[in-house]
Amino acid sequence: MPAFFRYLVPLLAFLALVALLFKGLGIDPKRVPSPLIDKPAPAFNLPKLKQPQQSLSNADLEGKVSLLNVWATWCVACRQEHPLLVQLSKSGVPIYGLNYKDQRPAAEQWLQRFGDPYVANAFDAEGRVGIDWGVYGTPETFIIDKQGIIRHKHIGPLTRDAIEREILPLVKKLREEKG
Amino acid sequence: MKSFRLYGVLIACMAISSALFSPLQAAGLEAFDFSGNVDETRFKSLIAELRCLVCQNQSLADSDADLAHDLRREVYELMDQGKSNQEIVDYLVARYGDFVLYNPPVKPETWILWYGPFGLLAVGFFILLYTVRQRKRQPEADFSEQEKERLKQLLGDDNNNGDKPA
């Protein structure tokens, strides 16, 4: 018994601490879990980027599985992500954009130059809708189901790997759910 | 003479760096108008308790990140509308989660955070108690006659020989 306490217990405690700290190293503190997952998408109604006299709102997203991508021309990571969005849109997933705290001419020029993967863009000049959606670091991508409920949030630029492993399987699964 | 010159250079460096950096830091935060409904002390203490999500080790009060500017403005406007601190905190938690608070609420997910240290302290205390009791329970050294004789001999030898090497 004393030998057990003297050697095994400290060893186990040490190993547990190592495991705990090692796990801590693997967690990315920049990925803050969103409290909006499995909740209805926050209501918004904003002018469209290309047609300012028209508006885009939650109602436009309902009835289908769609992505909402938050982006801006001042966001370097968005530039990196953009070609993947263009590809993804070709595979038939409707992508809506939330153009966040941007300049209208700059954003339009960007879409002309690099291609436009979006069904439509909401123009959030002041970033108010961004705050409602809990946006804190562009780009961010939400997956919204047929009922307009947020089911997933990807923080930071999408990668090929993330699209293949997270986005597409989830979109497929949500499409099979009853609308 | 040389050391004087060195001091001169050092003082100049300090003067330049303070001239360069302090106004920049001060210019980071916007000026709010506290002549209306919004109480300055309450506003400042509230934004000091809220965490900026971009630069995560800074509060909304310290951070110069763009999001911090927006959220400070948001807090100011909510206060201006007469919202209570709790309502404002709830508003931000609904969007950003508990992470936005420097003082997280006590709930099952945060029990380890709140009670963990006391738990560890208790475990340490019990180990200490156990060890002390074990020590007490150990019998006093009991020597046989033979051993006592030998012990006396050794101690006696030691006394006689002083500290001469054997």
Side-chain angles (χ1 to χ4, degrees):
Chain A
M1 195 65 172
F4 169 75
F5 267 99
R6 214 168 288 162
Y7 301 110
L8 204 57
V9 168
L11 181 70
L12 288 179
F14 173 72
L15 289 178
L17 194 65
V18 167
L20 186 76
L21 294 178
F22 190 75
K23 186 167 185 282
L25 282 178
I27 295 172
D28 183 357
K30 290 278 167 199
R31 278 169 206 229
V32 181
S34 172
L36 294 169
I37 304 291
D38 293 331
K39 300 228 172 88
F44 69 96
N45 194 343
L46 286 170
K48 284 186 181 172
L49 173 67
K50 284 184 175 171
Q51 300 97 7
Q53 60 285 1
Q54 293 178 18
S55 65
L56 187 74
S57 74
N58 302 53
D60 293 292
L61 306 183
E62 268 171 46
K64 58 185 171 254
V65 179
S66 59
L67 303 190
L68 184 97
N69 175 250
V70 186
W71 66 283
T73 55
W74 46 261
C75 154
V76 180
C78 298
R79 174 72 192 85
Q80 178 197 334
E81 171 187 70
H82 197 79
L84 286 170
L85 287 175
V86 174
Q87 262 185 23
L88 187 59
S89 72
K90 284 180 188 148
S91 70
V93 182
I95 307 173
Y96 289 86
L98 182 69
N99 186 225
Y100 178 68
K101 299 188 78 171
D102 213 340
Q103 306 287 325
R104 214 182 271 275
E108 283 178 15
Q109 210 181 356
W110 162 295
L111 294 180
Q112 264 176 17
R113 264 181 76 187
F114 306 124
D116 184 355
Y118 302 105
V119 179
N121 260 287
F123 184 65
D124 186 16
E126 286 177 44
R128 288 278 159 124
V129 170
I131 290 180
D132 279 342
W133 282 68
V135 169
Y136 66 92
T138 48
E140 288 181 11
T141 307
F142 297 85
I143 300 185
I144 300 151
D145 73 7
K146 293 176 193 168
Q147 273 91 24
I149 290 168
I150 295 178
R151 300 296 287 268
H152 181 75
K153 178 185 185 183
H154 182 93
I155 295 156
L158 288 170
T159 56
R160 204 169 287 280
D161 192 56
I163 288 174
E164 279 164 17
R165 287 198 199 171
E166 302 169 22
I167 308 289
L168 289 176
L170 186 57
V171 167
K172 187 163 173 278
K173 193 185 135 217
L174 295 179
R175 274 181 173 164
E176 283 160 9
E177 284 181 2
K178 272 190 188 166
Chain B
M1 197 60 200
K2 231 179 189 175
S3 66
F4 273 118
R5 208 176 286 161
L6 189 65
Y7 277 122
V9 170
L10 274 178
I11 288 167
C13 283
M14 273 148 73
I16 289 169
S17 64
S18 65
L20 274 179
F21 295 116
S22 1
L24 268 182
Q25 276 171 356
L29 306 186
E30 62 281 80
F32 283 104
D33 175 20
F34 291 107
S35 60
N37 294 329
V38 180
D39 177 46
E40 185 171 354
T41 325
R42 201 189 125 202
F43 176 73
K44 286 193 172 153
S45 73
L46 186 56
I47 59 174
E49 284 169 27
L50 296 166
R51 189 206 300 257
C52 173
L53 286 104
V54 181
C55 25
Q56 302 183 336
N57 295 324
Q58 284 186 303
S59 69
L60 282 187
D62 302 325
S63 172
D64 194 26
D66 211 35
L67 182 73
H69 282 274
D70 289 355
L71 291 180
R72 278 197 294 270
R73 185 195 62 199
E74 206 70 27
V75 169
Y76 179 88
E77 282 175 15
L78 288 169
M79 283 180 85
D80 201 32
Q81 289 163 25
K83 295 270 196 289
S84 72
N85 283 13
Q86 192 55 50
E87 283 171 313
I88 296 171
V89 164
D90 289 346
Y91 171 90
L92 288 169
V93 168
R95 284 156 181 76
Y96 295 101
D98 291 332
F99 194 84
V100 79
L101 305 172
Y102 267 122
N103 197 5
V106 180
K107 54 186 191 180
E109 296 94 83
T110 57
W111 279 353
I112 279 199
L113 185 69
W114 282 104
Y115 305 126
F118 298 108
L120 281 180
L121 199 67
V123 168
F125 182 73
F126 279 115
I127 289 177
L128 186 73
L129 210 68
Y130 178 83
T131 317
V132 168
R133 286 215 177 147
Q134 282 288 318
R135 290 240 172 112
K136 266 194 188 158
R137 221 175 284 160
Q138 266 170 15
E140 304 251 330
D142 202 7
F143 299 109
S144 66
E145 283 306 314
Q146 221 180 340
E147 282 171 329
K148 277 182 188 162
E149 201 54 44
R150 172 86 178 121
L151 194 62
K152 209 186 269 175
Q153 206 182 332
L154 283 172
L155 288 171
D157 276 355
D158 201 38
N159 284 343
N160 291 341
N161 296 342
D163 46 5
K164 269 184 221 154

